[in-house]
Amino acid sequence: MTPEPLVSVIIPALNAASVIGETLASCLKQTWANLEIIVVDNGSNDGTLDVVHSLGAPSIRIYECARQGASAARNFGMSRSKGDYIQYLDADDVLSSSKIETQLMRLRNQDGRSIASGPWIRFEKIISEKEIAPEAVWCDIDPQDFLIRSWTGGGMMRSWLGATWRCVTNKRLLAWHGLWCGPF
């Protein structure tokens, strides 16, 4: 029996003490058990690392790097990751508990050149699934149709690199794509 693929969740953090606990809790509650969570502290001075250490979760690996921006922190985390798949996540975002498992099931029979994204919402309060209205781009489509639907009003799906938390991506595809650049 083939072991389940390892997913590396890479989280750059800068002064995220007030939010990173909830973010990490959403990672630790994933139904996909084969996870490594990599937090790359980017020079925090607000106790972010104290919050991460207080969780004491063996699946969380903590690194510190010089403050060069979130892109550099993501690249640093990627270089330390052991996963077959990568889930980038910002320090103030949360995942539904089955997000990674659902997306990996969609990727299971793909050729390694696909990404799995899904619905997302911006929220400041608890949102029920009944309040989430599906959009035309929330389906399996080829990249060209995805872009056409997005550009012609078929949904609010942002670029997959701009919305780091939405996608689970094969690590080989990310290596082919190249490093993150810029301060974001």
Side-chain angles (χ1 to χ4, degrees):
M1 184 172 185
T2 317
E4 296 292 346
L6 176 65
V7 176
S8 299
V9 180
I10 299 173
I11 306 170
L14 172 62
N15 294 330
S18 65
V19 292
I20 198 160
E22 185 177 4
T23 299
L24 291 171
S26 78
C27 294
L28 295 169
K29 292 178 186 172
Q30 288 298 301
T31 56
W32 189 264
N34 201 15
L35 290 178
E36 68 172 352
I37 303 164
I38 299 172
V39 175
V40 181
D41 185 74
N42 207 5
S44 296
N45 59 16
D46 70 341
T48 295
L49 287 176
D50 295 333
V51 174
V52 178
H53 284 295
S54 73
L55 296 173
S59 60
I60 299 175
R61 296 187 0 228
I62 305 164
Y63 296 97
E64 295 179 63
C65 70
R67 186 172 179 187
Q68 297 175 351
S71 292
R74 287 184 190 103
N75 292 336
F76 185 91
M78 173 80 155
S79 73
R80 302 307 189 274
S81 68
K82 297 176 183 169
D84 305 296
Y85 290 89
I86 303 295
Q87 165 69 64
Y88 290 113
L89 190 64
D90 290 339
D92 62 348
D93 293 328
V94 294
L95 304 173
S96 67
S97 61
S98 62
K99 184 237 187 255
I100 291 175
E101 179 177 16
T102 300
Q103 291 183 337
L104 280 177
M105 292 299 106
R106 301 298 299 159
L107 292 172
R108 181 162 275 185
N109 297 317
Q110 299 299 316
D111 61 6
R113 295 181 295 170
S114 298
I115 62 171
S117 69
W120 67 278
I121 56 172
R122 187 179 315 267
F123 63 90
E124 294 180 20
K125 63 180 181 106
I126 301 301
I127 303 288
S128 75
E129 288 189 28
K130 293 177 185 174
E131 296 174 16
I132 300 171
E135 297 181 356
V137 293
W138 293 1
C139 60
D140 291 344
I141 52 179
D142 66 63
Q144 182 176 342
D145 287 340
F146 170 82
L147 292 173
I148 291 168
R149 284 187 193 186
S150 294
W151 290 340
T152 58
M156 199 173 151
M157 195 74 76
R158 296 176 11 196
S159 75
W160 74 280
L161 287 178
T164 60
W165 34 262
R166 189 176 1 93
C167 300
V168 170
T169 309
N170 186 296
K171 186 176 182 177
R172 291 177 307 200
L173 180 61
L174 288 170
W176 171 83
H177 177 272
L179 297 175
W180 285 81
C181 60
F184 46 86

